Amino acid sequence: MDLQHLLFILALICANDSLSASDDLLQWPQISKCRSPEMETFSCFWTAGNFYNLTVPRILQLLYKKSNEEDWKECPDYITSGQNSCYFNASYTSVWTPYCVQLASKNEVYDKKCFSVDEIVLPDPPVHLNWTLLNTSQTGIHGDIQVRWDPPPTADVRKGWITLEYELQYKEVNETKWKELKPRLSTVVPLYSLKMARDYEIRIRSRQRTSEKFGEFSEILYVSFSQIGIVCDHCTEEVEFPWFLVVVFGVCGLAVTVISIMLSKQPRIKMLIFPPVPVPKIKGIDPDLLKKGKLEEVNSILACHDNYKTQLYSDDLWVEFIELDIEDPDEKNRASDTDRLLSEDHLKSHGCLGAKDDDSGRASCCEPDIPETDFSASDTCDATSDSDQFKKATEKEEDLLCLDRQDNDESLPNLANPDPQRQRRNTQSENSHLWAPFGDSVESPRPSVHTQISNQNSLTSTDFYAQVSDITPAGRVVLSPGQKSKLGRTQHEGCTEQNFTMDNTYFCEADVKKCIAVTSHEENEPRVPEQGYNEDGYFTTESLTTTVANLGASTAAPPSSELPVADYTSIHIVQSPQGLVLNATALPVPDKEFNVSCGYVSTDQLNKIMP
Amino acid sequence: MNTKGASLKGLLLVALLVSHMLLIKEGVTSLPICPNGSVNCQLSLEELFDRAVKLSHYIHFLSSEMFNEFDERYAQGRGFIAKAVNSCHTASLTTPEDKEQTQQIHHEDLLNLILGVLRSWNDPLVHLASEVQRMKEAPETILWKAVEIEEQNKRLLEGMEKIVGRVQSGVVENDIYTPWDGLPSLQLDDEDSRLFAFYNLLHCLRRDSHKIDNYLKVLKCRLIHDNNC
């Protein structure tokens, strides 16, 4: 504050200095303004400047010239408009003719102005202001009045030579701020709702209709109701609008209405006012199952896919069939399998991602004798010969392949590492365990899930889902769009057929083979046991639940035979040929080892498994 | 079905509202329209004058605003004002320059003069509208106003011709007209000269529109209200 004070004082001193300094300078004579009150005459005014110091008094002249003339003429009338003015009467005034005036003494021209008379019209103020009472309110506190006036006498409004607009301003006597009304053409204005106990002041000014500048204000008109004998009984009472009460009652009423609507049994009203917010729902997944399940299992199931990507590079058997579009990460990230799986539009497209390449064995996905893994591949095989999808599928096959990575040391994502451990601990793998991670993830906000996907996708650059398109006699699973499964050990481990969770579930090979081995006895599918032999994972390219994908993506865990197999639940709802909702509590898990880190069963398999 | 009806009503309302908004222009179109070809429908002279005055006021208002905008935007610092003592192309038409002359001139002559001025401005307005579009960064408002003025000027011309037909007895040859040759100056390469040409033209337009507005108001008060507006 001290600094501000100091600065302020300094500024004052400087201003003082400059002001005093300017007094010493000669102020030139200036034409201050030229004005025509009625568009018939006009006057020009000037300031003489400070000639006090000059020894010889100079005589100022105002010269004028019309545009079509050559010579400068002197002002015809220096007197009528007062001192330092020049008055041009009607004979000297041509309205739409450009004029130039200059202020000069004998040798010097001090100032010059050019204008035309129609531009400098500033009317005189209105005259004869008066007011009359229109009516009073019933309480007698407020009243309406009407204000009348006459146009300025100089302005010839009657013959239409000039058209004037009026602006009225009024205020209470002890107020400082004037209230303005809009400019209007009429000379009669009503003022509504004035307080009868108070006195008012009114003033009016006018301007030419198409101009912007107003003339001077008229004399002030005083409005006093007591003068005309109005007796106001309750005038001293000031009733102000009870804002506080209005607000309080309004809020209470609104709250009561809202509560009554919410509690009302009428579903229609409730729907109208509070439309139900659609909860996030994953097609094919019962959210209850997910809630009861355990996160680790699903994480591990899905995680195994992630590891296969790195694994595949070392395996040259199928590398040749892998088409990686690594140089186009955007494309992969944009439309990875996971994303496509997430969107229902691509449900079918994942069935068989364009089995163009015969060598890769993907063409077999279109073969009718591979039903168990081909949820919709046979349907969509021809339809989805999309090269992009094909490429993406090939990229993602690496991830999708649940090769026996558990036997290989790989750099697993850190997220995935704890998952197998947790999975092992899940001895009591209920059916819902598989879905527990889903449940957790479902409850988690969607964006995080998606970011998980995207992150994972960016990390892995592929999805993890593929579809078992064929099972070679050697016991390998041919995947599409994923890569073919590797040769691997076969593990016949029990896994309850009921535990096959359909609808876009994903399998780690190790897990699946356990599952398949168990179910192979009950399954009629010849392919199933063959699949069980495969160490590779099985994938459905159907849209697994997003959460499953995400969880798998985010928490990629290495599939290992030691990992407990995930539980599989019975089929709860068959939503589509590609999707099944599993009943978490339907069947017990006979084999704990079946906590597959990534265990998925094709729809057809499950169909045959389940009654 | 209810929803269909409601939506149709809503659509109709919206269409009406939009058309209403489009049609409202400073009160010019608020007057009843006389359908073409109808025999008994004739606007009274008072209504004709009312419309003419409204149109002329609107045109002057637009040209005034356009000039102010142009002055603000392009003419600052170029010293155009000093050179603004210009002559408009309509200066050759001898029009009354003050109230006395306006009151002394016969109303038929004044009407013909008004017609002459309006006709003389037809051509420049058309070119103004087209040349303004070529101005560097011509703001939308100036552009719109130029087009609007040109349109309204045509309407006012039609209205004036109707009034002249009513007021005048017999057919009078009206060849009051000044050609305009300022188009090359609007198309100069030198930006300063071109802008100065625009400035002059807009200044002249503002002045002449004020003139026409005033003459029409005087005529209206004289003929319709008997000098007692």
Side-chain angles (χ1 to χ4, degrees):
Chain A
M1 284 304 291
D2 287 338
L3 188 62
Q4 285 181 2
H5 280 303
L6 192 62
L7 285 172
F8 183 64
I9 291 165
L10 278 174
L12 274 176
I13 292 169
C14 289
N16 257 339
D17 284 340
S18 62
L19 281 173
S20 56
S22 62
D23 284 340
D24 299 328
L25 294 177
L26 199 64
Q27 274 183 332
W28 294 105
Q30 278 180 339
I31 298 174
S32 55
K33 69 170 179 179
C34 289
R35 174 184 169 243
S36 168
E38 75 290 77
M39 221 159 57
E40 297 167 42
T41 66
F42 71 101
S43 310
C44 279
F45 305 89
W46 64 86
T47 55
N50 53 349
F51 275 10
Y52 310 124
N53 297 340
L54 298 178
T55 53
V56 179
R58 303 189 185 216
I59 301 173
L60 288 173
Q61 283 180 320
L62 190 84
L63 306 172
Y64 75 96
K65 180 169 84 113
K66 285 190 188 176
S67 65
N68 48 5
E69 291 167 0
E70 295 294 331
D71 305 323
W72 290 94
K73 298 181 197 161
E74 197 170 349
C75 166
D77 185 343
Y78 283 104
I79 302 165
T80 312
S81 294
Q83 207 179 22
N84 292 340
S85 73
C86 179
Y87 174 73
F88 296 84
N89 62 18
S91 56
Y92 288 98
T93 311
S94 306
V95 177
W96 293 284
T97 312
Y99 279 82
C100 278
V101 294
Q102 64 182 19
L103 192 65
S105 66
K106 287 184 188 141
N107 301 320
E108 284 179 79
V109 175
Y110 298 113
D111 197 4
K112 185 178 173 188
K113 257 199 173 122
C114 291
F115 54 87
S116 60
V117 177
D118 55 300
E119 297 165 2
I120 56 168
V121 176
L122 274 180
D124 289 332
V127 294
H128 304 149
L129 277 75
N130 58 7
W131 68 275
T132 53
L133 185 69
L134 283 178
N135 49 23
T136 60
S137 65
Q138 286 187 349
T139 57
I141 298 176
H142 296 279
D144 307 331
I145 65 170
Q146 190 180 65
V147 185
R148 286 181 168 274
W149 61 89
D150 287 338
T154 51
D156 192 353
V157 185
R158 286 179 60 182
K159 295 205 185 88
W161 181 244
I162 188 169
T163 313
L164 293 177
E165 254 179 358
Y166 305 98
E167 185 194 60
L168 186 141
Q169 297 185 356
Y170 70 100
K171 72 173 177 70
E172 286 180 30
V173 175
N174 49 8
E175 274 179 6
T176 51
K177 204 171 172 198
W178 290 88
K179 291 180 200 159
E180 294 175 7
L181 297 184
K182 260 188 345 182
R184 59 195 65 207
L185 293 171
S186 68
T187 58
V188 177
V189 164
L191 283 179
Y192 297 114
S193 201
L194 299 181
K195 295 185 188 120
M196 312 263 299
R198 306 278 178 89
D199 291 343
Y200 287 86
E201 293 176 344
I202 297 174
R203 62 180 186 179
I204 305 172
R205 58 181 179 173
S206 62
R207 68 172 176 191
Q208 196 190 29
R209 198 167 160 213
T210 46
S211 303
E212 288 177 359
K213 290 184 188 163
F214 281 99
E216 294 294 320
F217 278 105
S218 64
E219 289 180 358
I220 291 179
L221 174 72
Y222 285 95
V223 176
S224 173
F225 294 98
S226 57
Q227 281 181 3
I228 58 174
I230 292 176
V231 178
C232 182
D233 295 333
H234 310 286
C235 276
T236 51
E237 294 175 16
E238 295 235 341
V239 181
E240 290 185 357
F241 195 74
W243 289 108
F244 178 69
L245 284 175
V246 165
V247 166
V248 166
F249 279 115
V251 168
C252 288
L254 199 67
V256 164
T257 313
V258 167
I259 290 168
S260 65
I261 287 170
M262 282 173 61
L263 295 177
S264 107
K265 308 275 186 196
Q266 289 264 1
R268 289 182 80 182
I269 296 173
K270 207 169 172 182
M271 287 269 291
L272 196 70
I273 311 274
F274 301 110
V277 177
V279 294
K281 187 175 178 183
I282 303 155
K283 188 173 179 181
I285 293 292
D286 186 356
D288 291 334
L289 298 176
L290 300 177
K291 285 175 193 170
K292 292 175 200 165
K294 291 192 183 166
L295 181 70
E296 301 85 19
E297 289 178 355
V298 180
N299 281 347
S300 60
I301 287 167
L302 296 171
C304 73
H305 300 300
D306 188 30
N307 298 327
Y308 286 110
K309 181 189 173 187
T310 53
Q311 177 88 10
L312 282 167
Y313 284 104
S314 58
D315 186 359
D316 58 350
L317 273 178
W318 304 104
V319 166
E320 57 189 350
F321 302 103
I322 300 165
E323 296 179 37
L324 300 173
D325 276 338
I326 296 178
E327 61 272 9
D328 189 4
D330 287 344
E331 184 188 330
K332 289 188 284 187
N333 289 337
R334 250 188 284 111
S336 61
D337 271 78
T338 308
D339 294 339
R340 279 184 281 127
L341 290 169
L342 295 180
S343 66
E344 311 216 20
D345 298 337
H346 298 281
L347 268 176
K348 294 201 172 183
S349 63
H350 286 283
C352 170
L353 301 179
K356 290 181 193 169
D357 187 0
D358 295 332
D359 289 337
S360 64
R362 292 185 204 97
S364 60
C365 86
C366 296
E367 293 179 4
D369 56 350
I370 311 174
E372 66 275 13
T373 57
D374 187 352
F375 316 121
S376 65
S378 53
D379 302 332
T380 62
C381 201
D382 299 325
T384 63
S385 59
D386 184 9
S387 59
D388 283 349
Q389 284 182 346
F390 185 66
K391 281 186 182 174
K392 288 167 202 158
T394 56
E395 303 155 28
K396 289 143 199 164
E397 284 176 354
E398 301 173 339
D399 293 333
L400 294 174
L401 281 177
C402 285
L403 305 175
D404 49 344
R405 291 179 288 181
Q406 55 268 32
D407 295 334
N408 307 316
D409 49 340
E410 295 165 1
S411 60
L412 301 172
N414 293 331
L415 290 168
N417 283 328
D419 292 336
Q421 306 303 322
R422 288 204 297 270
Q423 280 194 347
R424 288 201 194 90
R425 281 185 245 117
N426 286 336
T427 57
Q428 292 295 326
S429 53
E430 288 285 333
N431 294 335
S432 58
H433 286 181
L434 178 66
W435 303 107
F438 302 138
D440 293 344
S441 61
V442 163
E443 290 164 357
S444 67
R446 272 251 175 204
S448 62
V449 164
H450 282 285
T451 50
Q452 275 185 342
I453 292 182
S454 58
N455 289 342
Q456 195 61 29
N457 283 341
S458 58
L459 286 172
T460 62
S461 75
T462 58
D463 277 338
F464 316 107
Y465 312 112
Q467 169 188 353
V468 176
S469 54
D470 193 9
I471 299 180
T472 63
R476 297 177 190 175
V477 173
V478 175
L479 302 168
S480 78
Q483 296 176 349
K484 297 189 182 167
S485 58
K486 299 179 187 172
L487 290 170
R489 62 184 184 282
T490 65
Q491 294 184 6
H492 299 272
E493 299 182 7
C495 76
T496 56
E497 59 274 13
Q498 299 88 347
N499 292 337
F500 280 95
T501 58
M502 276 321 302
D503 187 26
N504 315 321
T505 54
Y506 302 85
F507 302 85
C508 275
E509 174 202 352
D511 301 328
V512 169
K513 59 193 179 191
K514 297 171 202 165
C515 304
I516 300 299
V518 171
T519 59
S520 62
H521 306 295
E522 298 162 8
E523 281 184 348
N524 299 331
E525 280 296 312
R527 301 272 178 200
V528 172
E530 284 180 339
Q531 287 175 353
Y533 291 101
N534 292 325
E535 297 170 354
D536 302 337
Y538 313 92
F539 319 90
T540 72
T541 54
E542 298 308 315
S543 62
L544 183 67
T545 62
T546 306
T547 53
V548 174
N550 298 342
L551 291 166
S554 62
T555 63
S560 61
S561 54
E562 306 85 48
L563 294 175
V565 179
D567 288 332
Y568 299 92
T569 67
S570 62
I571 299 172
H572 178 62
I573 298 168
V574 181
Q575 285 190 340
S576 68
Q578 299 85 15
L580 295 172
V581 174
L582 304 176
N583 188 349
T585 59
L587 299 166
V589 179
D591 190 359
K592 290 174 187 176
E593 278 187 321
F594 198 60
N595 291 338
V596 180
S597 57
C598 52
Y600 306 92
V601 174
S602 63
T603 310
D604 292 343
Q605 287 179 346
L606 193 58
N607 282 335
K608 292 174 175 82
I609 295 166
M610 302 303 300
Chain B
M1 287 306 290
N2 284 341
T3 52
K4 248 189 185 178
S7 63
L8 275 175
K9 276 182 202 169
L11 204 64
L12 189 64
L13 272 172
V14 167
L16 278 173
L17 187 68
V18 168
S19 58
H20 175 76
M21 281 168 59
L22 286 174
L23 287 173
I24 287 295
K25 279 180 201 157
E26 293 273 329
V28 171
T29 57
S30 56
L31 299 170
I33 299 172
C34 211
N36 289 335
S38 127
V39 177
N40 292 329
C41 172
Q42 251 203 344
L43 290 171
S44 65
L45 197 63
E46 180 178 351
E47 277 169 354
L48 282 175
F49 262 108
D50 264 348
R51 291 192 188 200
V53 166
K54 279 198 173 96
L55 268 174
S56 68
H57 176 77
Y58 184 50
I59 291 170
H60 174 59
F61 171 74
L62 283 178
S63 51
S64 193
E65 294 228 314
M66 195 161 74
F67 175 76
N68 288 338
E69 274 182 44
F70 182 87
D71 188 27
E72 232 177 79
R73 196 182 168 88
Y74 293 100
Q76 294 302 328
R78 290 177 199 259
F80 284 165
I81 297 175
K83 307 183 218 167
V85 187
N86 52 1
S87 64
C88 302
H89 69 288
T90 50
S92 58
L93 303 174
T94 48
T95 51
E97 283 292 307
D98 59 21
K99 189 176 91 168
E100 208 174 314
Q101 289 179 15
T102 312
Q103 283 180 322
Q104 283 169 0
I105 191 172
H106 195 255
H107 64 267
E108 286 183 14
D109 297 331
L110 190 56
L111 282 170
N112 286 327
L113 267 176
I114 294 170
L115 268 181
V117 173
L118 288 174
R119 281 201 203 103
S120 305
W121 271 103
N122 234 349
D123 200 30
L125 283 175
V126 166
H127 290 291
L128 177 72
S130 62
E131 292 303 319
V132 154
Q133 288 178 6
R134 294 196 209 165
M135 265 164 56
K136 193 174 62 171
E137 303 163 357
E140 188 68 32
T141 44
I142 292 184
L143 213 63
W144 166 79
K145 285 187 176 88
V147 172
E148 182 77 0
I149 290 172
E150 190 225 325
E151 203 180 299
Q152 300 300 332
N153 193 62
K154 286 202 182 95
R155 293 181 61 188
L156 182 59
L157 200 53
E158 285 172 21
M160 289 310 302
E161 280 168 359
K162 278 205 183 86
I163 291 175
V164 168
R166 292 275 192 94
V167 167
Q168 278 185 345
S169 46
V171 179
V172 177
E173 285 292 326
N174 188 346
D175 51 1
I176 299 176
Y177 175 77
T178 313
W180 177 66
D181 56 358
L183 182 59
S185 62
L186 290 184
Q187 295 168 328
L188 289 172
D189 289 329
D190 178 31
E191 192 189 338
D192 259 7
S193 313
R194 194 174 67 241
L195 287 176
F196 184 61
F198 271 107
Y199 185 86
N200 274 346
L201 190 65
L202 291 176
H203 195 252
C204 285
L205 178 65
R206 185 178 75 162
R207 180 184 305 165
D208 281 352
S209 60
H210 187 250
K211 225 190 249 190
I212 305 271
D213 190 36
N214 242 65
Y215 293 159
L216 278 174
K217 282 171 181 163
V218 168
L219 274 178
K220 181 180 164 206
C221 283
R222 194 203 290 186
L223 297 178
I224 310 292
H225 301 279
D226 198 22
N227 275 337
N228 197 10
C229 271

mmCIF file of all heavy atoms in Angstrom, chain A residues 14 34 69 140 165 195 204 209 211 266 287 290 315-316 333 352 363 387 404 460 468 494 599:
data_model
loop_
_atom_site.group_PDB
_atom_site.id
_atom_site.type_symbol
_atom_site.label_atom_id
_atom_site.label_comp_id
_atom_site.label_asym_id
_atom_site.label_seq_id
_atom_site.Cartn_x
_atom_site.Cartn_y
_atom_site.Cartn_z
ATOM 1 N N CYS A 14 3.547 14.857 -11.064
ATOM 2 C CA CYS A 14 3.829 14.970 -12.495
ATOM 3 C C CYS A 14 2.688 15.670 -13.216
ATOM 4 O O CYS A 14 2.909 16.520 -14.079
ATOM 5 C CB CYS A 14 4.037 13.566 -13.092
ATOM 6 S SG CYS A 14 5.570 12.815 -12.569
ATOM 7 N N CYS A 34 -19.697 23.214 -34.516
ATOM 8 C CA CYS A 34 -20.664 23.877 -35.370
ATOM 9 C C CYS A 34 -21.965 23.131 -35.206
ATOM 10 O O CYS A 34 -21.991 21.904 -35.187
ATOM 11 C CB CYS A 34 -20.230 23.838 -36.831
ATOM 12 S SG CYS A 34 -18.830 24.907 -37.195
ATOM 13 N N GLU A 69 -17.680 26.861 -54.386
ATOM 14 C CA GLU A 69 -17.143 28.211 -54.519
ATOM 15 C C GLU A 69 -15.630 28.170 -54.398
ATOM 16 O O GLU A 69 -15.055 27.216 -53.916
ATOM 17 C CB GLU A 69 -17.713 29.131 -53.428
ATOM 18 C CG GLU A 69 -19.190 29.417 -53.606
ATOM 19 C CD GLU A 69 -19.759 30.052 -52.357
ATOM 20 O OE1 GLU A 69 -18.977 30.243 -51.386
ATOM 21 O OE2 GLU A 69 -20.970 30.333 -52.332
ATOM 22 N N GLY A 140 -53.144 2.324 -3.308
ATOM 23 C CA GLY A 140 -52.856 3.746 -3.178
ATOM 24 C C GLY A 140 -51.384 4.065 -3.029
ATOM 25 O O GLY A 140 -51.013 5.203 -2.756
ATOM 26 N N GLU A 165 -36.757 12.711 -32.371
ATOM 27 C CA GLU A 165 -36.931 11.630 -31.407
ATOM 28 C C GLU A 165 -36.680 12.187 -30.030
ATOM 29 O O GLU A 165 -35.798 13.033 -29.860
ATOM 30 C CB GLU A 165 -35.890 10.528 -31.670
ATOM 31 C CG GLU A 165 -36.449 9.302 -32.311
ATOM 32 C CD GLU A 165 -35.378 8.266 -32.563
ATOM 33 O OE1 GLU A 165 -34.197 8.510 -32.276
ATOM 34 O OE2 GLU A 165 -35.753 7.195 -33.055
ATOM 35 N N LYS A 195 -44.011 5.695 -7.190
ATOM 36 C CA LYS A 195 -44.426 5.669 -5.785
ATOM 37 C C LYS A 195 -45.039 7.012 -5.426
ATOM 38 O O LYS A 195 -44.417 8.070 -5.602
ATOM 39 C CB LYS A 195 -43.223 5.379 -4.891
ATOM 40 C CG LYS A 195 -42.649 4.003 -5.132
ATOM 41 C CD LYS A 195 -41.527 3.687 -4.164
ATOM 42 C CE LYS A 195 -40.874 2.380 -4.589
ATOM 43 N NZ LYS A 195 -39.460 2.579 -4.892
ATOM 44 N N ILE A 204 -36.149 15.759 -20.474
ATOM 45 C CA ILE A 204 -36.300 15.200 -21.821
ATOM 46 C C ILE A 204 -35.295 15.884 -22.737
ATOM 47 O O ILE A 204 -35.014 17.075 -22.594
ATOM 48 C CB ILE A 204 -37.727 15.431 -22.362
ATOM 49 C CG1 ILE A 204 -38.757 14.882 -21.380
ATOM 50 C CG2 ILE A 204 -37.897 14.753 -23.709
ATOM 51 C CD1 ILE A 204 -40.167 15.249 -21.745
ATOM 52 N N ARG A 209 -33.933 12.286 -36.055
ATOM 53 C CA ARG A 209 -34.270 10.857 -35.976
ATOM 54 C C ARG A 209 -33.139 9.945 -36.438
ATOM 55 O O ARG A 209 -32.929 8.883 -35.916
ATOM 56 C CB ARG A 209 -35.513 10.582 -36.797
ATOM 57 C CG ARG A 209 -36.127 9.289 -36.395
ATOM 58 C CD ARG A 209 -37.512 9.140 -36.947
ATOM 59 N NE ARG A 209 -37.866 7.728 -36.936
ATOM 60 C CZ ARG A 209 -38.631 7.136 -37.831
ATOM 61 N NH1 ARG A 209 -39.137 7.823 -38.817
ATOM 62 N NH2 ARG A 209 -38.907 5.871 -37.738
ATOM 63 N N SER A 211 -29.972 10.709 -36.439
ATOM 64 C CA SER A 211 -28.678 11.046 -35.852
ATOM 65 C C SER A 211 -28.433 10.195 -34.623
ATOM 66 O O SER A 211 -29.285 9.457 -34.180
ATOM 67 C CB SER A 211 -28.641 12.524 -35.461
ATOM 68 O OG SER A 211 -28.906 13.332 -36.562
ATOM 69 N N GLN A 266 -46.287 -44.071 -9.755
ATOM 70 C CA GLN A 266 -46.612 -43.962 -11.165
ATOM 71 C C GLN A 266 -45.319 -44.015 -11.971
ATOM 72 O O GLN A 266 -44.553 -43.075 -11.955
ATOM 73 C CB GLN A 266 -47.300 -42.619 -11.437
ATOM 74 C CG GLN A 266 -48.699 -42.520 -10.889
ATOM 75 C CD GLN A 266 -49.711 -42.857 -11.974
ATOM 76 O OE1 GLN A 266 -49.337 -43.170 -13.093
ATOM 77 N NE2 GLN A 266 -50.975 -42.794 -11.619
ATOM 78 N N PRO A 287 -24.200 -58.982 -15.160
ATOM 79 C CA PRO A 287 -23.380 -58.186 -14.234
ATOM 80 C C PRO A 287 -23.319 -58.779 -12.845
ATOM 81 O O PRO A 287 -22.341 -58.596 -12.132
ATOM 82 C CB PRO A 287 -24.058 -56.818 -14.235
ATOM 83 C CG PRO A 287 -25.294 -56.959 -15.018
ATOM 84 C CD PRO A 287 -25.267 -58.215 -15.781
ATOM 85 N N LEU A 290 -20.483 -61.017 -12.674
ATOM 86 C CA LEU A 290 -19.210 -60.329 -12.622
ATOM 87 C C LEU A 290 -18.947 -59.785 -11.237
ATOM 88 O O LEU A 290 -17.808 -59.740 -10.786
ATOM 89 C CB LEU A 290 -19.196 -59.191 -13.635
ATOM 90 C CG LEU A 290 -19.403 -59.627 -15.088
ATOM 91 C CD1 LEU A 290 -19.438 -58.402 -15.984
ATOM 92 C CD2 LEU A 290 -18.294 -60.541 -15.523
ATOM 93 N N ASP A 315 8.899 -68.172 -32.424
ATOM 94 C CA ASP A 315 8.422 -69.404 -33.042
ATOM 95 C C ASP A 315 8.239 -69.182 -34.527
ATOM 96 O O ASP A 315 7.368 -68.455 -34.964
ATOM 97 C CB ASP A 315 7.086 -69.795 -32.381
ATOM 98 C CG ASP A 315 6.607 -71.134 -32.880
ATOM 99 O OD1 ASP A 315 7.296 -71.723 -33.743
ATOM 100 O OD2 ASP A 315 5.553 -71.553 -32.423
ATOM 101 N N ASP A 316 9.087 -69.805 -35.255
ATOM 102 C CA ASP A 316 9.049 -69.479 -36.679
ATOM 103 C C ASP A 316 8.108 -70.375 -37.468
ATOM 104 O O ASP A 316 7.976 -70.247 -38.652
ATOM 105 C CB ASP A 316 10.474 -69.579 -37.265
ATOM 106 C CG ASP A 316 11.018 -70.968 -37.033
ATOM 107 O OD1 ASP A 316 10.367 -71.742 -36.268
ATOM 108 O OD2 ASP A 316 12.050 -71.283 -37.588
ATOM 109 N N ASN A 333 -4.321 -49.561 -33.166
ATOM 110 C CA ASN A 333 -4.943 -49.041 -31.964
ATOM 111 C C ASN A 333 -6.368 -48.610 -32.224
ATOM 112 O O ASN A 333 -7.213 -48.697 -31.377
ATOM 113 C CB ASN A 333 -4.133 -47.858 -31.442
ATOM 114 C CG ASN A 333 -2.827 -48.322 -30.864
ATOM 115 O OD1 ASN A 333 -2.720 -49.475 -30.470
ATOM 116 N ND2 ASN A 333 -1.845 -47.465 -30.830
ATOM 117 N N CYS A 352 -14.717 -64.638 -38.760
ATOM 118 C CA CYS A 352 -13.658 -65.166 -39.596
ATOM 119 C C CYS A 352 -13.103 -64.020 -40.366
ATOM 120 O O CYS A 352 -13.724 -63.486 -41.259
ATOM 121 C CB CYS A 352 -14.231 -66.229 -40.527
ATOM 122 S SG CYS A 352 -13.076 -66.753 -41.789
ATOM 123 N N ALA A 363 -8.434 -70.153 -43.775
ATOM 124 C CA ALA A 363 -9.553 -70.458 -44.662
ATOM 125 C C ALA A 363 -10.412 -71.538 -44.066
ATOM 126 O O ALA A 363 -11.591 -71.661 -44.361
ATOM 127 C CB ALA A 363 -9.021 -70.896 -46.025
ATOM 128 N N SER A 387 -9.701 -56.885 -45.615
ATOM 129 C CA SER A 387 -8.257 -57.022 -45.514
ATOM 130 C C SER A 387 -7.728 -56.357 -44.263
ATOM 131 O O SER A 387 -6.800 -56.821 -43.630
ATOM 132 C CB SER A 387 -7.605 -56.426 -46.759
ATOM 133 O OG SER A 387 -7.979 -55.060 -46.847
ATOM 134 N N ASP A 404 2.082 -71.974 -24.982
ATOM 135 C CA ASP A 404 2.562 -72.325 -23.659
ATOM 136 C C ASP A 404 3.689 -71.407 -23.271
ATOM 137 O O ASP A 404 4.849 -71.771 -23.203
ATOM 138 C CB ASP A 404 3.005 -73.783 -23.622
ATOM 139 C CG ASP A 404 3.915 -74.079 -24.803
ATOM 140 O OD1 ASP A 404 3.908 -73.250 -25.747
ATOM 141 O OD2 ASP A 404 4.617 -75.066 -24.784
ATOM 142 N N THR A 460 0.560 -53.647 -26.421
ATOM 143 C CA THR A 460 0.714 -54.883 -27.159
ATOM 144 C C THR A 460 0.452 -54.691 -28.637
ATOM 145 O O THR A 460 0.851 -55.493 -29.444
ATOM 146 C CB THR A 460 -0.244 -55.944 -26.639
ATOM 147 O OG1 THR A 460 -1.577 -55.439 -26.869
ATOM 148 C CG2 THR A 460 -0.053 -56.154 -25.150
ATOM 149 N N VAL A 468 -10.823 -70.203 -32.775
ATOM 150 C CA VAL A 468 -10.300 -71.488 -33.214
ATOM 151 C C VAL A 468 -10.999 -71.860 -34.504
ATOM 152 O O VAL A 468 -12.209 -72.074 -34.546
ATOM 153 C CB VAL A 468 -10.570 -72.552 -32.149
ATOM 154 C CG1 VAL A 468 -10.116 -73.905 -32.665
ATOM 155 C CG2 VAL A 468 -9.864 -72.180 -30.864
ATOM 156 N N GLY A 494 -8.742 -82.198 -16.092
ATOM 157 C CA GLY A 494 -10.193 -82.084 -16.005
ATOM 158 C C GLY A 494 -10.662 -80.636 -15.964
ATOM 159 O O GLY A 494 -10.006 -79.774 -15.410
ATOM 160 N N GLY A 599 -9.479 -69.007 -20.056
ATOM 161 C CA GLY A 599 -10.185 -70.172 -20.537
ATOM 162 C C GLY A 599 -11.487 -69.789 -21.168
ATOM 163 O O GLY A 599 -12.329 -69.132 -20.557
#
